[in-house]
Amino acid sequence: ALSGAVGCRYDPEDPGAASGAFSADMTSEGGFHYSLSASGIGSRGFRASAASILHRGKASMGGGLEMMSDSLRITGTAGYSPAPGVHAVLEVSATPVIWEGDMPEPHESLSAVFARNGVTAALRLQRRDGETRIVASACAVFP
């Protein structure tokens, strides 16, 4: 399976703020999911990422690389689906460049998602820049 999207933003009142974006995803018959994206093309807030995740049975694992206009991050991902409609994902990322006296600044997140019969609920625990956040969402679709 292959999918993709292309977009651009243009403001006639501020032509210098124009930017573009694209994304492409592919899932192979062997269980690999490849993802490539870029946003902020042509602007100061450029961001690009490439990732690959292998899905095998109930488990998944993979990694990726994210480049921003001023930094680089490497990410590792592991997931598990203990039951149909239930999925948990652990993601850890850090910058590989450490200057003298600096400590690495890892970003971690643990997500759990439940989806069944038109109901989706997600709970995410994020640790970033010394701050912990809990994010919860729910969505129900009624026939």
Side-chain angles (χ1 to χ4, degrees):
L2 180 64
S3 68
V6 175
C8 68
R9 179 181 161 268
Y10 179 76
D11 183 353
E13 294 180 15
D14 187 9
S19 65
F22 81 89
S23 66
D25 291 273
M26 184 181 90
T27 302
S28 72
E29 291 180 1
F32 279 97
H33 176 86
Y34 302 98
S35 177
L36 182 63
S37 68
S39 62
I41 299 169
S43 71
R44 291 177 296 280
F46 178 76
R47 170 177 256 149
S49 65
S52 180
I53 298 175
L54 173 62
H55 298 272
R56 284 283 185 226
K58 295 182 176 188
S60 63
M61 66 177 199
L65 184 65
E66 182 178 24
M67 296 179 298
M68 289 151 285
S69 51
D70 63 348
S71 63
L72 174 72
R73 294 194 78 74
I74 296 174
T75 302
T77 303
Y80 185 69
S81 296
V86 179
H87 192 67
V89 177
L90 174 66
E91 186 174 279
V92 177
S93 69
T95 180
V97 179
I98 306 297
W99 300 105
E100 188 175 324
D102 285 347
M103 293 295 292
E105 294 181 21
H107 294 180
E108 304 93 12
S109 72
L110 178 61
S111 304
V113 179
F114 169 81
R116 187 169 295 151
N117 299 329
V119 176
T120 303
L123 182 63
R124 183 176 202 165
L125 180 65
Q126 293 178 316
R127 180 80 176 154
R128 191 171 285 188
D129 299 327
E131 185 177 297
T132 302
R133 294 180 187 169
I134 297 175
V135 180
S137 66
C139 178
V141 178
F142 300 103

